[in-house]
């Protein structure tokens, strides 16, 4: 059988990794796919830049439009990133009848509904394993492995850069900026690293996971997003002292009245497996009604881990290229005409436990005022700690752990606490999930 011909849109970290893995494991991959998978064209912006992977046998060009229109390409691999021109190029590739493999979660979270509709119409495949959790085959696991289940919730560490930063800050006491620079050097971070530390990249991935877990359209604009950029070493240390680790989690959950879709730093009990996922590793915990909790773990970023997922998609597409489109696995796990319109819950309606840290004047009655505010709002306090004042200081840290309560009640409690004359600084709120 003739080799299947691949065109790479982008030859950076993931593109070069893909070329390298396809080269190194060429024979093994052909034995799996049933025919050879060969990169014949690749494009980038700057053709003079030295490339990590050898380019012999590859037509290297600057014209991405020519690549997606080329009659000599069967599968377009989009690893350039960003929304534009990636969106138009992917739609153009589909219109030319090409299958697409992409690692671009921003593209799918924002434009996936249109892209999958176009692909369905044209009878081509769009595969995206690399878009979530790097080399961890979480898309296949949820879409195919768990298809018997009604999925109740999932919670994941799905940004390697943030997890790497949090681990290095906690374990080695390193400064945020220094660790971020190292994550960039290692090829983990997005072209715009504020997407990582601001939680946006995790929200892109969570949007994709929620679609395939619950059979809903991609709704990135309804996700609640909070990153790690305002986390302090003090809270990481206090959390540890209380038996928790802080992780940036993406959480999607079926709740009464709708679906929770949220990314934020989260206190997780240190004894949970998820709390012990360190460095660039990603992990996703998925709870199905039949199977119970299942955990998927591996490298969430980097050239070859991500290439592992891209190449797995290439093998899948190659195997299914000649199959009747009706017999393929639906892109988003559910049949496109059977998507649910269940709403995404506004954050105020979400219930979580919380860690609250207040800076309080060390005076009689201050804690009584704070606990009265909580009681008036039906917020049940699980634990409260006052740190000892430093020499000559009259402001102390007070940490409160609440039981599960509505976010809107905590918002109001924070507003009232901050208006007390004895509380001179904003309250720090970090949500807490038991994940039992
Ligand atoms: P990268 O290292 O910045 O590479 C991007 C490549 O695309 C570069 O070769 C760049 O060309 C090329 N490119 C960008 N805009 C272009 C344009 N308009 N026309 C032609 N070529 C263009 O990015 P990356 O880390 O490989 O990430 C690629 C995608 O994979 C992104 O969507 C990212 O979110 C996703 N992803 C990355 C990782 C990871 O660990 N890095 C993991 C999972 C998913 P030049 O080289 O000439 O600049
Ligand atoms: N910037 C992303 C991360 C790359 O750090 O997880 C993998 O998607």
């Amino acid at each position: 059988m003739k080799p299947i011909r691949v065109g790479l849109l982008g030859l950076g970290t993931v593109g070069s990794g893909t070329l390298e893995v396809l080269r190194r494991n060429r024979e093994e991959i052909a034995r799996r796919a049933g025919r050879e998978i060969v990169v014949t064209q690749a494009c980038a912006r700057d053709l003079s830049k030295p490339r990590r992977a050898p380019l012999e046998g590859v037509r290297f060009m600057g014209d991405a439009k020519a690549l997606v229109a080329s009659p000599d390409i069967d599968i377009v691999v989009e690893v350039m990133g960003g929304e534009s021109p990636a969106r138009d190029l992917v739609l153009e590739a589909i219109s030319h009848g090409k299958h697409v493999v992409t690692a671009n979660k921003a593209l799918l979270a924002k434009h996936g509904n249109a892209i999958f509709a176009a692909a369905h119409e044209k009878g081509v495949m769009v595969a995206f394993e690399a878009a979530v959790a790097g080399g961890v085959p979480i898309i296949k696991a949820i879409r195919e492995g768990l298809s018997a289940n009604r999925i109740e919730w999932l919670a994941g560490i799905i940004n390697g850069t943030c997890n790497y930063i949090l681990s290095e800050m906690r374990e080695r006491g390193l400064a945020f900026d220094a660790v971020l620079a190292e994550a960039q050097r290692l090829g983990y971070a997005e072209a715009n690293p504020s997407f990582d530390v601001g939680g946006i990249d995790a929200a892109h991935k969570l949007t994709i996971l929620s679609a395939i877990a619950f059979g809903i359209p991609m709704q990135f604009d309804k996700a609640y997003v909070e990153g790690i950029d305002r986390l302090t070493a003090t809270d990481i240390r206090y959390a540890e002292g209380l038996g928790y680790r802080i992780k940036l989690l993406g959480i999607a959950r079926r709740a009464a009245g709708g679906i929770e879709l949220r990314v934020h730093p989260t206190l997780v009990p240190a004894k949970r497996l998820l709390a012990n996922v360190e460095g660039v590793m990603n992990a996703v915990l998925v709870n199905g009604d039949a199977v119970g909790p299942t955990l998927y773990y591996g490298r969430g970023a980097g050239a070859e881990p991500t290439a592992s997922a891209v190449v797995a998609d290439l093998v899948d597409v190659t195997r299914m290229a000649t199959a009747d489109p009706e017999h393929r696995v639906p892109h988003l796990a559910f049949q496109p005409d059977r998507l649910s319109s269940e709403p995404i819950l506004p954050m105020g309606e979400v219930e979580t436990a919380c860690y609250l840290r207040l800076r309080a004047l060390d005076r009689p009655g201050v804690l009584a005022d704070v606990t009265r505010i909580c009681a008036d709002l039906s917020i049940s306090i699980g634990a409260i700690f006052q740190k000892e004042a430093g020499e000559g200081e009259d402001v102390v840290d007070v940490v409160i752990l609440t039981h599960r309560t509505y976010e809107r009640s905590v918002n109001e409690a924070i507003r009232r606490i901050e208006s007390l004359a004895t509380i001179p600084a904003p309250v720090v709120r970090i949500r807490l999930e038991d994940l039992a």
Side-chain angles (χ1 to χ4, degrees), residues 11-14 45-46 49 51 79-81 103 105 187 190 302 306:
L11 204 53
T13 304
V14 182
R45 280 173 300 208
D46 178 358
K49 215 193 248 182
R51 300 288 156 182
V79 280
M80 60 172 35
K105 50 272 162 143
E190 295 303 300
T306 311

Side-chain angles (χ1 to χ4, degrees), residues 365-416:
V366 176
L367 284 189
D369 290 342
V370 170
T371 53
R372 192 170 314 112
I373 288 172
C374 291
D376 288 348
L377 291 161
S378 303
I379 296 173
S380 173
I381 293 176
I384 185 163
F385 307 90
Q386 178 176 325
K387 305 288 168 186
E388 247 179 300
E391 186 80 19
E393 279 180 1
D394 73 339
V395 182
V396 290
D397 277 335
V398 175
V399 173
I400 297 175
L401 301 184
T402 74
H403 289 302
R404 284 176 73 81
T405 187
Y406 283 106
E407 177 92 358
R408 62 178 132 77
S409 308
V410 180
N411 293 343
E412 179 57 17
I414 290 175
R415 193 190 66 73
R416 292 189 197 175

Side-chain angles (χ1 to χ4, degrees), residues 3 52 62 77 81-82 106 152 173 212 215 242 250 252 256 270 291 307-308 310 320 326 388-389 396 434:
R52 206 179 328 177
V77 173
E152 309 287 1
I212 62 168
L242 296 169
V291 69
S308 164
V310 169
M320 296 304 289
E326 295 303 314
E388 247 179 300
V396 290
D434 188 48

Side-chain angles (χ1 to χ4, degrees), residues 126-375:
V126 175
F128 52 97
E129 185 64 72
V132 183
V136 184
I138 185 65
I139 300 295
K140 206 170 186 71
I142 296 180
R143 194 171 55 189
E144 296 168 50
L146 298 180
S147 57
N149 288 263
R150 178 179 160 86
I151 292 174
E152 309 287 1
W153 56 265
L154 60 87
I157 293 172
I158 45 180
N159 184 271
T161 302
C162 286
N163 206 50
Y164 180 71
I165 292 173
L166 292 176
S167 293
E168 295 289 294
M169 282 175 76
R170 189 183 63 78
E171 284 174 5
R172 295 170 59 202
L174 297 181
F176 187 100
D177 290 342
V179 192
L180 173 58
E182 181 64 3
Q184 287 177 287
R185 193 188 65 74
L186 292 167
Y188 302 157
E190 295 303 300
N192 176 355
S194 70
F195 273 42
D196 295 291
V197 297
I200 297 160
D201 176 74
H204 288 148
K205 294 165 178 165
L206 185 69
T207 301
I208 297 171
L209 290 179
S210 68
I212 62 168
F214 305 131
I216 56 174
M218 306 272 183
Q219 296 168 78
F220 169 72
D221 52 336
K222 300 204 179 119
Y224 173 81
V225 188
E226 190 181 310
I228 62 164
D229 33 3
R230 284 177 298 150
L231 264 189
T232 65
T234 304
D235 293 307
I236 294 174
R237 201 175 63 246
Y238 284 173
E240 179 130 51
L242 296 169
Y244 294 87
R245 297 234 170 113
I246 300 181
K247 294 289 177 189
L248 183 76
L249 290 191
I251 299 172
R253 188 195 307 266
R254 285 183 204 271
I259 287 171
E260 297 176 11
L261 197 60
R262 50 191 169 101
V263 169
H264 48 70
T266 313
L267 268 76
V268 180
K271 63 186 176 202
R272 299 269 177 261
L273 285 172
L274 217 52
N276 292 282
V277 171
E278 301 292 5
V280 74
M281 306 309 270
N282 278 196
V284 185
L285 183 57
V286 186
N287 196 53
D289 68 340
V291 69
T294 57
L295 182 66
Y296 309 86
Y297 170 83
R299 279 186 186 278
E304 292 211 2
T306 311
S308 164
V310 169
V311 173
D313 274 348
L314 284 170
V315 170
D316 257 7
V317 171
T318 303
R319 284 171 176 156
M320 296 304 289
T322 52
D324 178 345
E326 295 303 314
H327 297 142
R328 295 178 188 147
V329 179
H331 290 117
L332 292 178
F334 292 74
Q335 298 299 335
D337 58 349
R338 303 293 299 275
L339 294 191
S340 150
S341 58
E342 226 172 320
I344 305 296
L345 282 180
M347 196 59 188
E349 301 307 310
V350 166
E351 259 189 304
T352 65
C354 278
Y355 160 107
L356 302 175
R357 176 167 64 84
L358 337 171
R359 297 284 292 156
L361 294 188
D362 197 8
R363 307 258 165 82
V366 176
L367 284 189
D369 290 342
V370 170
T371 53
R372 192 170 314 112
I373 288 172
C374 291

